[in-house]
Amino acid sequence: MGLDDKIGNKSEGLGGKIKEGLGKASGDENLEAEGHKDQASSSLKDAGENIKDAFKGH
């Protein structure tokens, strides 16, 4: 996994946490759900990159 990918995935996850928190604080369920979606997307991308890395090593 490249450093750019790691940084991008982490920033997407952090952005999702911020959106989720703002959504909870403001009562905006759509923003909160969008934050959850961003965090899940970030996690899936990390998992995919980890699989790629595992196969590169063999």
Side-chain angles (χ1 to χ4, degrees), residues 15-33:
K17 286 183 181 189
I18 291 169
K19 282 182 185 178
E20 179 185 0
L22 289 173
K24 283 182 181 180
S26 66
D28 186 341
E29 292 178 1
N30 289 331
L31 186 60
E32 186 177 351

Side-chain angles (χ1 to χ4, degrees), residues 3 8 11 13-14 17 29 33-34 37 46 48 50 53 56-57:
L3 182 60
S11 65
L14 180 60
K17 286 183 181 189
E29 292 178 1
E34 189 176 328
K37 183 187 80 165
D46 276 340
N50 289 338
D53 287 345
K56 284 182 186 177

Side-chain angles (χ1 to χ4, degrees), residues 3 6 8 10 13-14 20 23 33 38 42 45 53 56 58:
L3 182 60
K6 288 181 181 180
K10 295 298 178 192
L14 180 60
E20 179 185 0
D38 290 350
S42 173
K45 287 177 186 177
D53 287 345
K56 284 182 186 177
H58 293 274

